[in-house]
């Protein structure tokens, strides 16, 4: 029956569940030193994909390793319940398209629906996570939507407020007009939100006041032109007034950029040049009549202006760009924002009111054209950010918002980062450090619904009450019932009272990263409960997530830990890259460019998938193309080989163990102990790639060298070989257990007869068994053999035809025991050495009649062996063999050899063919043969 890896692994899975092996492993280590692991809670808005599987595989392998090293590794699942992903699902299910509709329906209704949807995929997740052999406690999982969790978040919020880290401000933020909420920088950078799009761009004329001249400004977002309040120029760039010779119009623009508008110098004439500095305060006439202010419609100086594209004069609208906002603030310009929260023009812009800004571009251009204010219109493709949730084009928007002051803690964040070990290490001084250095203040408010409510209540005169616990809430709230819920829908109705003044909650909810950044203490409901548990588990020894979290979870955890505890949140952090499809693109259902994870697991098993991922460059935080071919290679060359060696051992399980170990035994024991030592070192430094390389090399040595060369000894009942294989397999199963937990379990139980491998202590290598010189020599022997086999291949001489001799040119001195291996592997009668610095081999291919006879005998024996297999015979079955044909002449002197090899009791030549169950005829070289086989009656 064909081997079915899926079935085999499921058997083991069942064994673990019945045996409660995970629970036992925790029980066994509960007195041990803690090895604390924080699990970044996944958001289960869909089924787990390869990225999730990768995360789970690492989060299993490393804790398994430390558990075997006697450490207590608590592993409890968490669910990230809040935020836009679930709101998006809820909107879809409820057929809702906007915030208006949510509010009409009722926030309470909406949140109730979100809550009911949060764990939709929980069962599927649990199934997948279990199947990939990740050991984690689902029963006691924490949820970020629980009151206990949110209360800890509130505690943290209030601490930050008291320490002066939280402030209310106005910020220009990337904003999704469909979701009606701002997005943080990390949300825009995380999932490659930028896409190449074609947009209409326009160069507009601004008439200078009191002059017969026009300033030129260029924009890729014509819809922001009705909000134009200023033109910005760089004080250090040279500008020029030029006259267009075709019609006499005078333009102002950066001198360097004149070439963007005129093909040759003959078409214009420079009237005057001047530095940008001299333009400050110059007035121009507004192109739209919607706004007026005494400070508006003047030239401002700003360093962000460059002479790289456009005209070197930047159209400036304070609400729609960060730089615009800053420079307008500096010059005391008012904030104008004629765009509502859905991205539509308000009444203020009367010609376009109600239009969605991204759709108004062409109309605005036409409008300006009709007034003769457009110089040039062009389609350009450029990178533009999209909402990663709903794929709507984002806009900039000025919004009131709550912030954590990052600038105040930045220096400390950089210092603390020095205490963290990063894997791979370049992230520490690279991406993570840079991320801290460039971090803006953290906008923690969201204008949404399903998230922890911001615990700020305001009075009409602007006094602020920040609430840090449920008890505190009760102390200010009148008539609060037993049942409370720390979400917006419940709290918006809760009016607080202090000194006769009434306080109403601000409408915003918290950024979900504030919640997940609170995970170290909020999972314990600290400081309201479990004080000791939290203190003993902080900081964690280990976290592992994909590279996007350097800007998100890793970063926010550090920020909160630094402000609250002046401490790092984790000591070791492992960061993985992104898994791409085989074609180098993002894995996408619509491209159909990747195999379904569950199919892959069914075909090749979980061990192969785990090994494939843990051994890949994705563990170095690099992008990695997932290829089924690569996975198949692992399945065949690592996992199947391991099972095959184990099956081979099973056949000889009952042999005794007496006897002298030979060179192969000593060699493979040395290799196994080297393996043990290396994997221990690599796993301790979180290097799973090299651990996998070691395992691969070892299983190849064991299977294709040790076992293959020892078959005859096993057949002859050699106890030393059996004892060696048992010891080696036991070591192998233990050190590979964290990476390939299924096959290592199968092997361990088979060779030891004991309970689970995952309850064993990590083995120590026996240094006295490590013989580097021996390992080196054996590897040279393998090289000699492979060279010789390649030569046989080139000359088309099958391995069963014995050759007289091989000449080995090398600087090696090999003992007889190695020479015997070469003889048997290459099938030669003699090995001759010649001194040479470079290794090469030469085969003597002239066959004597005797060698030829042996070759025929071997070929014939192989055919009989194959026939036995077809007949379904087992090793102990004896046969009677009848041979006919020219070949009889050729095998003279090798009849006994054949009998012994094929388990035949007698070789008949001239008898009738009746009574034989099997017959086959053909040719070997040019000799005819005919084989008849009959199974002997049981003795
Ligand atoms: Zn959106």
């Amino acid at each position: 029956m064909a081997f079915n890896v899926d079935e085999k692994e499921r058997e083991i899975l069942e064994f673990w569940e019945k045996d409660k092996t995970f629970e036992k492993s925790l029980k066994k280590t509960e007195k041990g030193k803690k090895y604390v692991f924080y699990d970044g809670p996944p958001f289960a808005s869909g089924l787990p994909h390869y990225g999730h599987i990768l995360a789970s595989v690492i989060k299993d392998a490393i804790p398994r390793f430390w558990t075997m090293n006697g450490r207590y590794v608590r592993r409890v699942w968490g669910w990230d319940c809040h935020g836009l992903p679930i709101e998006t699902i809820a909107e879809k299910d409820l057929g809702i398209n906007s915030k208006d509709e949510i509010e009409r329906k009722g926030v309470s209704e909406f949140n109730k629906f979100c809550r009911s949807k949060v764990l939709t995929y929980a069962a599927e997740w649990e199934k997948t996570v279990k199947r990939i052999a990740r050991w984690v406690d689902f029963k006691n999982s924490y949820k970020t939507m629980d009151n206990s969790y949110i209360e800890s978040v509130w505690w943290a919020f209030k601490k930050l407020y008291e320490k002066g880290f939280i402030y209310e401000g106005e910020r220009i933020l990337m904003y999704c007009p469909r979701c009606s909420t701002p997005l943080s920088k990390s949300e825009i950078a995380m999932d490659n939100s930028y896409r190449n799009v074609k947009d209409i761009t326009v160069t507009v004329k601004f008439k200078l006041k009191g002059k017969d001249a026009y300033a030129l400004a260029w924009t890729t977002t014509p819809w922001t032109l009705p909000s134009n309040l200023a033109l910005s120029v760089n004080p250090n760039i040279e500008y020029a007034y030029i006259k267009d010779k075709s019609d006499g119009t005078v333009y102002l623009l950066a001198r360097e950029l004149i070439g963007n508008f005129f093909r040759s110098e003959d078409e214009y004439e420079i009237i005057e040049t001047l530095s940008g500095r001299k333009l400050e305060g110059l007035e121009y006439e507004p192109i739209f009549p919607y706004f007026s202010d005494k400070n508006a419609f003047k030239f401002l100086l700003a360093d962000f202006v460059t002479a790289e594209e456009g005209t070197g004069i930047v159209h400036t609208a304070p609400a729609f760009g960060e730089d615009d906002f800053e420079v307008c603030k500096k010059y005391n310009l008012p904030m104008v924002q004629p765009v509502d929260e859905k991205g539509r023009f308000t009444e203020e812009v009367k010609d376009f009111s109600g239009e969605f800004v991204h759709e108004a571009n062409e109309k605005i251009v036409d409008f300006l054209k009709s007034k003769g204010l457009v110089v040039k219109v062009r389609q350009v493709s450029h990178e533009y950010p999209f909402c990663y949730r709903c794929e709507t084009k984002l806009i900039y928007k000025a919004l009131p918002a709550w912030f954590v002051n990052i600038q105040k803690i930045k220096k400390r964040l950089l210092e603390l980062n020095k205490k963290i070990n990063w894997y791979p290490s370049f992230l520490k001084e690279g991406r993570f450090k840079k991320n801290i250095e460039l971090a803006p203040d953290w906008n923690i408010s969201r204008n949404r619904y399903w998230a922890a409510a911001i615990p700020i209540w305001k009075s009409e005169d602007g006094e602020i009450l920040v609430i840090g616990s449920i008890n505190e809430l009760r102390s200010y709230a009148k008539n609060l019932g037993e049942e409370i819920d720390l979400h917006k829908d419940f709290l918006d109705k809760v009016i607080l009272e202090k000194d006769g003044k009434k306080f109403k909650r601000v409408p915003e909810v918290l950024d979900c990263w504030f919640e997940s950044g609170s995970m170290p203490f909020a999972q314990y409901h600290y400081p309201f409960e479990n004080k000791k548990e939290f203190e003993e588990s902080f900081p964690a020894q280990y976290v592992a997530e994909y590279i996007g979290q350097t800007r998100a979870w890793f970063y926010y955890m550090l920020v909160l830990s630094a402000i609250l505890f002046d401490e790092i949140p984790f000591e070791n952090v492992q960061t993985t890259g992104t898994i791409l499809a085989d074609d180098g693109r993002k894995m996408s259902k619509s491209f159909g460019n990747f195999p379904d994870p569950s199919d892959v697991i069914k075909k090749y098993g979980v061990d192969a998938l785990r090994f494939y991922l843990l051994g890949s460059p994705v563990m170095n935080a690099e992008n990695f193309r997932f290829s089924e071919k690569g996975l198949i290679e692992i399945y065949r060359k690592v996992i199947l080989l391991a099972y095959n060696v184990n099956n081979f051992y099973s056949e000889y399980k009952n042999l005794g163990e007496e006897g002298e170990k030979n060179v192969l035994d000593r060699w493979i024991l040395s290799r196994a102990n080297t393996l043990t030592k290396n994997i221990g070192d690599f796993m301790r430094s979180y290097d799973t790639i090299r651990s996998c390389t070691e395992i691969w090399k070892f299983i190849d040595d064991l299977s294709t060298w040790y076992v293959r060369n020892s078959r005859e000894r096993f057949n002859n009942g050699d106890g030393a070989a059996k004892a060696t294989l048992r010891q080696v397999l036991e070591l192998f199963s233990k050190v590979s257990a964290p990476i390939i937990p299924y096959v290592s379990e199968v092997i361990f139980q088979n060779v030891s007869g004991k309970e689970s491998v995952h309850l064993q202590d990590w083995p120590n290598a026996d240094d006295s068994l490590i013989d580097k010189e021996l390992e080196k020599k054996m590897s040279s022997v393998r090289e000699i053999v492979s060279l010789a086999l390649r030569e046989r291949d080139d000359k088309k001489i099958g391995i069963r035809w014995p050759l007289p001799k091989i000449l080995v040119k090398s600087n090696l001195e090999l003992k007889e025991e190695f020479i015997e291996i070469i003889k048997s592997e290459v099938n030669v009668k003699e090995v001759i050495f010649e001194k040479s610095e470079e290794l090469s081999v030469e085969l003597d291919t002239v066959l004597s009649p005797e060698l030829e006879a042996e070759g025929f005998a071997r070929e014939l024996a192989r055919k009989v062996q194959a026939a036995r297999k077809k007949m379904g015979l087992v090793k102990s079955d004896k046969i009677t063999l009848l041979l006919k044909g020219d070949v009889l002449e050729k095998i003279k002197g090798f009849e006994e050899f054949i009998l012994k090899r094929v388990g035949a009791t007698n070789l008949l030549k001239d008898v009738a063919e009746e009574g034989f169950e099997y017959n086959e005829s053909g040719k070997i070289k040019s000799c005819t043969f005919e084989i008849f086989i009959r199974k002997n009656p049981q003795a």
Side-chain angles (χ1 to χ4, degrees):
M1 211 175 56
F3 175 66
N4 183 328
V5 69
D6 186 41
E7 228 164 70
K8 189 81 214 166
E9 289 186 352
R10 285 176 185 281
E11 250 171 59
I12 297 295
L13 200 57
E14 220 168 279
F15 163 77
W16 288 335
E17 279 190 20
K18 274 206 195 117
D19 181 58
K20 298 201 180 311
T21 320
F22 175 41
E23 290 82 349
K24 280 184 185 170
S25 76
L26 289 171
K27 188 89 193 132
K28 180 176 179 239
T29 49
E30 79 187 339
K31 300 248 152 53
K33 196 175 163 201
K34 282 188 176 177
Y35 178 89
V36 179
F37 158 65
Y38 290 162
D39 190 2
F43 192 89
S45 64
L47 294 175
H49 55 60
Y50 285 105
H52 298 125
I53 289 175
L54 169 68
S56 267
V57 165
I58 307 156
K59 291 171 181 183
D60 181 73
I62 301 295
R64 262 182 215 270
F65 170 75
W66 288 104
T67 302
M68 289 178 83
N69 279 274
R71 305 286 291 268
Y72 176 68
V73 196
R74 177 183 182 266
R75 278 159 275 175
V76 177
W77 190 265
W79 291 110
D80 189 355
C81 308
H82 283 147
L84 273 178
I86 198 76
E87 288 197 20
T88 308
I89 292 173
E91 286 181 24
K92 226 187 200 164
D93 287 5
L94 295 169
I96 284 175
N97 288 311
S98 69
K99 284 178 73 177
D100 277 357
E101 286 179 54
I102 294 174
E103 276 166 33
R104 251 183 278 132
K105 192 172 175 63
V107 177
S108 150
E109 194 72 358
F110 183 73
N111 276 1
K112 209 163 117 197
F113 192 81
C114 288
R115 186 190 289 273
S116 78
K117 281 280 154 185
V118 162
L119 298 180
T120 305
Y121 294 100
E124 274 306 312
W125 270 73
E126 193 171 338
K127 220 169 92 193
T128 305
V129 166
K130 275 199 175 141
R131 180 66 187 87
I132 56 181
R134 177 169 177 202
W135 282 358
V136 56
D137 174 4
F138 273 99
K139 269 186 236 112
N140 297 306
S141 60
Y142 67 87
K143 300 181 197 70
T144 59
M145 66 183 177
D146 292 343
N147 271 354
S148 60
Y149 193 97
I150 299 177
E151 192 178 25
S152 292
V153 171
W154 276 19
W155 167 82
F157 188 94
K158 179 156 191 177
K159 277 265 171 259
L160 261 65
Y161 185 78
E162 286 170 348
K163 288 173 182 245
F165 280 94
I166 289 183
Y167 68 91
E168 188 180 18
E170 196 169 54
R171 273 298 174 92
I172 304 300
L173 294 164
M174 274 273 147
Y175 181 89
C176 173
R178 200 213 66 93
C179 300
S180 300
T181 189
L183 282 85
S184 72
K185 285 232 159 96
S186 59
E187 286 169 320
I188 294 155
M190 251 173 92
D191 291 82
N192 305 324
S193 312
Y194 280 81
R195 286 191 216 155
N196 208 287
V197 288
K198 260 206 165 136
D199 267 326
I200 184 166
T201 72
V202 60
T203 306
V204 180
K205 286 154 74 173
F206 292 81
K207 166 88 172 51
L208 300 178
K209 255 193 184 160
K211 282 192 180 195
D212 195 10
Y214 296 88
L216 293 182
W218 172 78
T219 179
T220 56
T221 50
W223 64 266
T224 60
L225 287 168
S227 313
N228 173 278
L229 287 192
L231 294 171
S232 297
V233 291
N234 188 313
N236 302 315
I237 290 178
E238 189 179 42
Y239 291 84
Y241 284 103
I242 57 166
K243 184 191 265 178
D244 183 342
K245 284 186 183 165
S246 69
D247 62 3
T249 316
V250 176
Y251 296 115
L252 173 66
L253 73 167
R255 185 174 183 168
E256 265 182 69
L257 293 167
I258 298 173
N260 284 358
F261 296 88
F262 295 94
R263 243 168 272 134
S264 94
E265 286 180 28
D266 305 332
E267 295 176 359
Y268 65 89
E269 168 191 337
I270 294 183
I271 299 170
E272 183 194 350
T273 66
L274 70 172
S275 82
R277 195 176 310 280
K278 296 226 169 92
L279 293 169
E280 190 177 21
L282 183 67
E283 293 183 62
Y284 65 91
E285 288 168 9
I287 49 174
F288 286 98
Y290 311 131
F291 301 102
S292 65
D293 185 273
K294 65 175 169 42
N295 288 324
F297 312 115
K298 291 180 186 163
F299 278 65
L300 316 180
L301 300 184
D303 291 329
F304 69 82
V305 180
T306 67
E308 270 154 31
E309 54 183 358
T311 65
I313 300 174
V314 173
H315 140 63
T316 305
F320 304 115
E322 281 176 272
D323 291 328
D324 300 44
F325 177 76
E326 291 302 329
V327 68
C328 288
K329 205 159 81 179
K330 200 169 128 196
Y331 283 92
N332 285 318
L333 280 148
M335 170 60 71
V336 303
Q337 177 150 258
V339 174
D340 71 7
E341 63 166 19
K342 296 224 184 55
R344 294 172 310 208
F345 282 112
T346 60
E347 292 295 323
E348 291 167 289
V349 178
K350 59 176 189 297
D351 301 287
F352 308 102
S353 92
E355 300 245 10
F356 184 54
V357 293
H358 288 307
E359 282 155 16
N361 282 333
E362 281 187 40
K363 282 184 197 159
I364 288 168
V365 170
D366 288 344
F367 184 90
L368 291 171
K369 265 187 191 160
S370 72
K371 301 200 173 245
L373 294 175
V374 171
V375 171
K376 195 167 166 187
V377 177
R378 206 155 54 95
Q379 294 278 342
V380 294
S381 34
H382 65 148
E383 298 281 303
Y384 198 87
F386 284 72
C387 176
Y388 72 106
R389 302 288 184 212
C390 72
E391 317 214 325
T392 299
K393 249 173 139 178
L394 299 177
I395 58 172
Y396 278 106
K397 196 162 162 41
L399 292 151
W402 294 90
F403 292 89
V404 171
N405 187 335
I406 296 296
Q407 314 320 316
K408 223 164 106 175
I409 190 78
K410 204 167 253 189
K411 215 179 111 209
R412 188 64 186 141
L413 295 179
L414 290 167
E415 277 164 21
L416 287 171
N417 180 38
K418 289 188 188 143
K419 284 169 65 180
I420 299 173
N421 293 318
W422 283 87
Y423 303 91
S425 61
F426 57 79
L427 293 173
K428 180 188 189 128
E429 294 294 320
R431 196 187 275 235
F432 194 68
K433 185 178 163 194
K434 284 205 185 77
N435 182 42
I436 297 174
E437 283 172 342
L438 298 174
D441 286 353
W442 175 13
N443 169 26
I444 49 171
S445 53
R446 293 289 179 277
N447 302 76
R448 295 295 309 184
Y449 306 97
W450 179 238
I454 286 189
I456 294 178
W457 272 257
K458 258 189 185 174
S459 69
E460 224 156 76
D461 58 8
E463 190 184 336
I464 279 176
L465 258 183
V466 176
I467 302 299
S469 71
I470 292 173
N471 275 343
E472 197 180 357
L473 182 72
R474 288 190 184 282
S475 74
Y476 291 113
K478 291 264 145 61
N479 309 321
L480 207 56
E482 262 315 298
E483 286 279 304
I484 59 169
D485 174 49
L486 303 184
H487 288 89
K488 177 179 169 68
D489 49 305
F490 181 86
L491 293 170
D492 281 359
K493 294 175 289 197
V494 176
I495 305 294
L496 305 187
E497 253 186 76
K498 192 188 149 202
D499 308 330
K501 248 199 289 188
K502 285 195 183 337
F503 292 75
K504 204 177 168 341
R505 202 185 72 83
V506 300
E508 289 91 356
V509 295
L510 259 182
D511 175 14
C512 296
W513 291 114
F514 197 99
E515 299 178 21
S516 39
S518 302
M519 175 271 183
F521 50 91
Q523 64 169 332
Y524 290 109
H525 193 208
Y526 175 89
F528 307 99
E529 281 181 86
N530 305 314
K531 253 187 135 137
K532 191 164 155 264
E533 280 83 348
F534 165 67
E535 277 154 15
E536 284 174 2
S537 330
F538 183 83
Q541 272 68 57
Y542 183 61
V543 291
E545 304 291 338
Y546 94 109
I547 186 122
Q549 302 293 9
T550 50
R551 285 167 168 278
W553 192 52
F554 297 152
Y555 168 71
Y556 293 122
M557 247 196 308
L558 177 63
V559 168
L560 291 180
S561 297
I563 300 176
L564 293 168
F565 309 109
D566 192 31
E567 181 53 286
I568 54 171
F570 44 79
E571 291 165 4
N572 302 288
V573 46
Q574 186 150 36
T575 308
T576 56
T578 308
I579 300 180
L580 302 173
D582 205 7
D583 61 8
R585 291 187 295 179
K586 222 172 137 171
M587 280 187 174
S588 150
K589 278 226 173 82
S590 56
F591 297 152
N593 57 359
F594 67 99
D596 187 85
S598 59
D599 290 346
V600 153
I601 288 171
K602 224 179 214 138
K603 278 200 236 164
Y604 316 112
V606 159
D607 279 340
L609 182 57
R610 286 174 67 118
F611 189 101
Y612 180 53
L613 295 173
L614 290 171
S616 81
V618 81
M619 298 303 302
N620 253 337
E622 290 166 29
N623 284 349
F624 170 61
R625 294 182 180 197
F626 184 97
S627 116
E628 195 165 343
K629 262 194 207 145
L631 183 62
I632 293 172
E633 191 181 16
I634 301 295
Y635 173 62
R636 290 196 183 135
K637 294 189 176 166
V638 181
I639 308 303
L640 271 189
L641 286 191
Y643 275 110
N644 287 346
V645 175
N646 185 59
N647 290 341
F648 177 80
Y649 175 83
S650 297
E651 287 178 39
Y652 301 95
K653 211 171 167 176
N654 297 324
L655 284 187
E657 299 205 341
E658 309 74 35
E660 186 91 2
K661 291 191 174 358
N662 81 356
V663 65
L664 281 159
D665 297 336
R666 280 182 279 121
W667 167 72
I668 199 68
L669 278 167
S670 174
R671 288 283 296 112
N673 281 282
T674 301
L675 171 83
T676 301
K677 197 179 183 145
N678 288 349
I679 294 200
D681 289 348
F682 294 147
M683 290 299 278
R684 250 178 284 278
S685 58
Y686 303 90
D687 190 342
T688 58
I689 298 182
R690 283 162 85 189
S691 300
C692 286
T693 311
E694 286 289 305
I695 290 174
W696 191 334
K697 273 197 302 206
F698 182 80
I699 197 68
D700 181 64
D701 280 350
L702 180 63
S703 160
T704 56
W705 199 249
Y706 178 78
V707 168
R708 212 157 55 89
N709 278 294
S710 307
R711 272 179 199 280
E712 216 168 299
R713 289 170 63 215
F714 277 94
N715 270 333
N716 297 335
D718 189 325
K722 186 250 170 171
T724 303
L725 186 56
R726 182 183 53 72
Q727 289 168 36
V728 161
L729 280 176
E730 190 169 329
L731 269 184
F732 173 77
S733 64
K734 286 181 185 171
V735 300
S736 61
I739 291 176
I740 41 180
Y742 286 109
V743 65
S744 60
E745 184 74 302
V746 172
I747 295 173
F748 180 78
Q749 293 190 8
N750 188 29
V751 300
S752 75
K754 287 187 225 154
E755 57 184 346
S756 171
V757 69
H758 303 289
L759 298 174
Q760 305 308 309
D761 292 337
W762 188 259
N764 286 320
D766 183 345
D767 284 332
S768 72
L769 293 176
I770 295 179
D771 182 342
K772 284 282 156 211
E773 197 50 41
L774 172 61
E775 287 189 32
K776 231 168 91 191
K777 282 201 170 140
M778 194 62 88
S779 113
S780 303
V781 169
R782 286 194 74 169
E783 204 182 336
I784 291 167
V785 169
S786 92
L787 286 174
L789 293 184
R790 203 174 310 149
E791 197 177 333
R792 267 184 176 274
D793 224 35
D794 291 345
K795 293 186 172 153
K796 298 198 170 38
I797 309 171
I799 186 67
R800 271 170 295 276
W801 299 90
L803 297 176
K805 55 179 181 281
I806 180 171
L807 175 65
V808 176
K809 295 181 180 174
S810 95
N811 57 6
L812 279 173
E813 274 180 44
L814 293 176
K815 282 201 196 138
E816 194 49 39
E817 46 193 11
F818 290 107
I819 293 170
E820 284 308 315
I821 297 173
I822 297 175
K823 279 186 187 166
S824 112
E825 277 290 302
V826 185
N827 195 11
V828 291
K829 297 301 172 191
E830 199 183 349
V831 182
I832 299 163
F833 283 92
E834 195 181 293
K835 271 268 170 234
S836 157
E837 279 314 302
E838 224 170 298
L839 180 66
S840 66
V841 301
E842 269 170 42
L843 282 173
D844 178 357
T845 56
V846 181
L847 291 181
S848 65
E850 210 200 5
L851 288 179
E852 196 168 35
E854 188 185 331
F856 275 107
R858 283 174 185 266
E859 284 285 0
L860 207 55
R862 188 183 63 91
K863 292 197 186 292
V864 176
Q865 290 289 41
R868 284 185 56 124
K869 227 178 199 169
K870 279 185 219 157
M871 292 167 73
L873 302 185
V874 297
K875 198 179 274 166
S876 55
D877 292 328
K878 297 291 176 207
I879 56 166
T880 297
L881 182 64
L882 165 61
L883 270 184
K884 295 186 171 183
D886 306 343
V887 82
L888 276 175
E889 278 304 303
K890 294 282 189 183
I891 58 166
K892 280 215 170 104
F894 282 87
E895 290 89 348
E896 276 304 308
F897 172 89
I898 296 174
L899 286 181
K900 203 170 161 224
R901 253 177 132 81
V902 303
T905 48
N906 40 344
L907 177 63
L908 308 174
K909 290 173 187 167
D910 299 310
V911 299
E913 295 153 15
E914 278 84 56
F916 284 88
E917 300 148 43
Y918 180 93
N919 110 291
E920 179 185 339
S921 57
K923 273 183 177 180
I924 297 172
K925 290 198 172 168
S926 57
C927 274
T928 59
F929 72 86
E930 221 176 331
I931 308 169
F932 300 86
I933 301 172
R934 157 173 95 213
K935 187 182 156 189
N936 293 356
Q938 298 289 356

